[in-house]
Amino acid sequence: MKQAIAVISFGTSLPEAMPAIEGIERAVENHCGQKIYRAFTSGFIRKKLKARDGMDISDPQTLFTQLTNEGYDTILCLATHVIPGIEYERLCTTAAAFPQVRMAKPLLWSESDYDTCVHAVMESIPPRKNGEALVLMGHGTEHFANAAYAQLEHKFRTEGYTNVYVGTAEGYPMLETVIPQLQADGIREIMLMPFLIVAGDHARNDLCGDDANSWKSRLESLGFTTRTVCKGLGEIPAIAQTFAEHLNTM
């Protein structure tokens, strides 16, 4: 059997965000003992990297075709998605055209995945002050898989972590939903962190940016004191390893 491993990400054009993708790729290589092949799903990012840096990164279909033509009869595909939403389903549809491709599960799939992520996040952040809340920004989606964010917040509670709130940039709950909870719980100090694979545009602008519409600015305008942890989930070794171990269950 000739086997290849493909790691598929949405991608990023920010050099400071790339360590998150590279962290997952490195964990997969170490776990499997072989090199990986990279593809990005975002055409915009691929074009930008090509024009700016001369980087030629394949899209998934091109990569699957290339590996098939090179004689690989098994292609294990790991998508660096947080939830099994629209992007993950779209990639599964692309993969279905290639009998050789087998898809691994996204980050939040089994209950143990939630357990791992909850503890990994809490162990990766600076010590919180007494009464300080942690507010996480997920991406969010109109897909029903968006319910994962509510389960995630509940998991923090049941694992004993108080004052942890999960909102989303493009789904439910939005920041407008989280703010009344913070106020009702008497929170005044907040640590902001993305619950995103890479700390890209959403993390650096929508969450931590100085623009008046960022979560940071909006919370501060209401009297909250904030500080930020601007790093992607892929930069947390335990989460990168969770992705790698999903290849064991295919």
Side-chain angles (χ1 to χ4, degrees):
M1 181 178 70
K2 189 177 180 182
Q3 174 180 286
I5 299 175
V7 178
I8 313 295
S9 303
F10 178 82
T12 181
S13 61
L14 297 177
E16 58 269 37
M18 269 303 295
I21 293 174
E22 293 168 345
I24 296 171
E25 292 173 342
R26 187 164 51 251
V28 172
E29 286 186 333
N30 292 339
H31 185 75
C32 298
Q34 66 183 92
K35 76 169 187 175
I36 62 93
Y37 294 87
R38 172 191 289 171
F40 286 173
T41 60
S42 171
F44 172 79
I45 289 174
R46 294 196 309 271
K47 290 176 183 177
K48 184 172 182 178
L49 291 173
K50 178 68 173 178
R52 188 189 70 192
D53 304 327
M55 294 178 63
D56 195 2
I57 299 177
S58 295
D59 63 273
Q61 183 168 348
T62 299
L63 179 59
F64 295 155
T65 300
Q66 170 198 327
L67 295 174
T68 299
N69 291 341
E70 290 178 6
Y72 288 98
D73 48 35
T74 301
I75 303 169
L76 305 183
C77 180
L78 178 73
T80 64
H81 295 123
V82 173
I83 61 174
I86 294 171
E87 291 289 331
Y88 180 75
E89 288 187 347
R90 186 175 295 143
L91 180 57
C92 287
T93 299
T94 299
F98 298 85
Q100 302 91 335
V101 177
R102 296 163 54 193
M103 290 292 301
K105 304 304 183 187
L107 179 61
L108 295 179
W109 186 263
S110 68
E111 185 177 354
S112 65
D113 292 336
Y114 286 84
D115 291 335
T116 297
C117 288
V118 161
H119 293 295
V121 165
M122 299 309 295
E123 291 167 8
S124 74
I125 63 174
R128 286 191 291 166
K129 302 172 188 176
N130 185 38
E132 183 179 28
L134 173 65
V135 174
L136 299 169
M137 174 195 270
H139 189 279
T141 175
E142 60 187 16
H143 191 279
F144 63 81
N146 190 82
Y149 297 107
Q151 181 174 342
L152 179 68
E153 181 175 298
H154 187 67
K155 259 297 180 184
F156 279 104
R157 301 281 197 274
T158 58
E159 291 301 306
Y161 299 112
T162 59
N163 296 337
V164 180
Y165 305 81
V166 180
T168 67
E170 298 182 10
Y172 178 87
M174 301 290 282
L175 181 60
E176 290 82 356
T177 310
V178 176
I179 287 172
Q181 298 176 51
L182 295 169
Q183 294 170 328
D185 292 342
I187 301 296
R188 303 310 307 161
E189 296 183 278
I190 298 170
M191 183 184 298
L192 294 169
M193 179 178 171
F195 194 82
L196 303 161
I197 298 302
V198 302
D201 180 67
H202 278 309
R204 297 179 188 278
N205 296 316
D206 300 336
L207 179 64
C208 304
D210 294 324
D211 182 86
N213 290 323
S214 74
W215 284 24
K216 175 178 178 291
S217 295
R218 290 163 65 188
L219 288 164
E220 289 177 352
S221 73
L222 293 171
F224 295 100
T225 300
T226 70
R227 59 173 172 156
T228 60
V229 179
C230 197
K231 66 178 177 181
L233 295 174
E235 298 178 66
I236 302 175
I239 290 181
Q241 184 61 29
T242 297
F243 271 115
E245 291 176 359
H246 281 190
L247 292 168
N248 296 344
T249 59
M250 298 173 67

